[in-house]
């Protein structure tokens, strides 16, 4: 059996992204992808079990890029709640632009998609922890054995996810609570 070529997989994902951007999610299918790549459909199946897996790969790639861009787009030189607000607006815009459609298109692969998204959320949680650690104005006495930075980061993630899912336009109460807790 031939070894899989990671370069070809990356090419297939890039071509799937082009299809999704040009023709919409409905335009992403094994046959169209194979045709664009100049390979047989069976070759595409060597890398992806079907459309769902391709969409999962696109979603994962999309969020990896988004998290990298977020690190640059949301400056770390402001207070933590200000950074949190920037993160919320950045992610909301990403969802509005195309990630929401992409994630909403996942059907049978939803459980696997949620697993992969949990990994992305873990990366975001790590970013929140780093940002909290860099904020010199956060009270040192706020953390103890039962209220840790890590626990607070999980709380923040749960609420960010809820705010993004519900499409809530105003997050002032959430940001005010965060500000009152840490300062």
């Amino acid at each position: 059996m031939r070894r899989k070529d990671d370069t070809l997989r990356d090419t297939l994902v890039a071509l799937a992204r082009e299809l999704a951007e040009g023709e919409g999610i409905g335009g992403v299918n094994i046959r169209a992808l194979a045709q664009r790549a100049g390979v047989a459909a069976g070759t595409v199946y060597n890398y992806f079990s079907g459309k769902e897996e391709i969409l999962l790969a696109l979603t994962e790639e999309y969020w990896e890029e988004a998290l990298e861009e977020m690190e640059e787009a949301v400056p770390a030189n402001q207070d933590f709640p200000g950074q949190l607000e920037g993160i919320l607006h950045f992610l909301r815009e990403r969802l509005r632009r195309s990630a929401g459609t992409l994630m909403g298109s996942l059907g049978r692969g939803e459980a696997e998609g949620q697993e992969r998204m949990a990994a992305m959320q873990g990366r975001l949680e790590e970013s929140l922890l780093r940002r909290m650690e860099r904020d010199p104005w956060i009270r040192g006495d706020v953390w103890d054995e039962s209220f840790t930075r890590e626990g607070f980061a999980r709380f923040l993630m749960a609420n960010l996810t809820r705010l993004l899912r519900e499409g809530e336009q105003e997050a002032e109460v959430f940001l005010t609570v965060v500000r009152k807790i840490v300062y």
Side-chain angles (χ1 to χ4, degrees):
M1 178 175 214
R2 252 178 72 184
R3 219 176 86 205
K4 290 183 182 178
D5 177 4
D6 287 337
T7 305
L8 180 55
R9 184 188 187 284
D10 293 344
T11 299
L12 292 171
V13 171
L15 291 170
R17 185 181 217 170
E18 287 177 15
L19 281 167
E21 290 171 355
E23 301 176 30
I25 299 300
V28 178
N29 63 65
I30 299 291
R31 187 170 288 142
L33 189 53
Q35 184 177 14
R36 284 234 175 155
V39 299
T43 301
V44 177
Y45 279 111
N46 286 332
Y47 294 88
F48 303 101
S49 62
K51 180 177 180 170
E52 291 292 321
E53 195 171 335
I54 294 168
L55 294 177
L56 283 172
L58 283 175
T59 303
E60 189 171 27
E61 178 187 80
Y62 185 88
W63 282 110
E64 284 176 8
E65 288 176 9
L67 291 176
E68 287 175 20
E69 288 175 20
M70 183 196 76
E71 289 299 324
E72 291 182 30
V74 179
N77 63 351
Q78 57 184 324
D79 68 1
F80 179 69
Q83 292 178 58
L84 196 58
E85 183 175 18
I87 289 168
L88 182 60
H89 290 301
F90 178 87
L91 294 176
R92 187 175 285 142
E93 178 61 22
R94 282 300 203 132
L95 284 170
R96 187 190 64 74
R97 279 196 314 198
S98 63
T101 304
L102 188 56
M103 290 169 53
S105 69
L106 300 174
R108 296 183 313 263
E110 191 172 328
E112 187 178 346
Q114 287 180 358
E115 249 178 64
R116 291 186 188 185
M117 289 302 99
M120 295 298 117
Q121 288 176 342
R123 286 183 50 196
L124 179 54
E125 198 172 298
E126 289 171 14
S127 174
L128 294 174
L129 282 167
R130 282 191 310 276
R131 289 168 182 271
M132 279 189 278
E133 289 168 0
R134 284 187 254 154
D135 186 340
W137 298 289
I138 291 180
R139 293 187 348 252
D141 66 344
V142 74
W143 315 119
D144 62 27
E145 293 163 7
S146 64
F147 189 70
T148 64
R149 271 189 187 99
E150 294 77 14
F152 190 55
R154 281 189 298 278
F155 166 81
L156 294 173
M157 278 303 305
N159 281 282
L160 281 172
T161 302
R162 181 188 59 79
L163 287 168
L164 291 169
R165 188 178 310 125
E166 294 175 3
E168 190 174 313
Q169 292 302 310
E170 294 301 320
E172 283 307 310
V173 171
F174 172 65
L175 296 169
T176 300
V177 168
V178 170
R179 195 168 264 109
K180 287 183 182 269
I181 288 172
V182 298
Y183 296 134

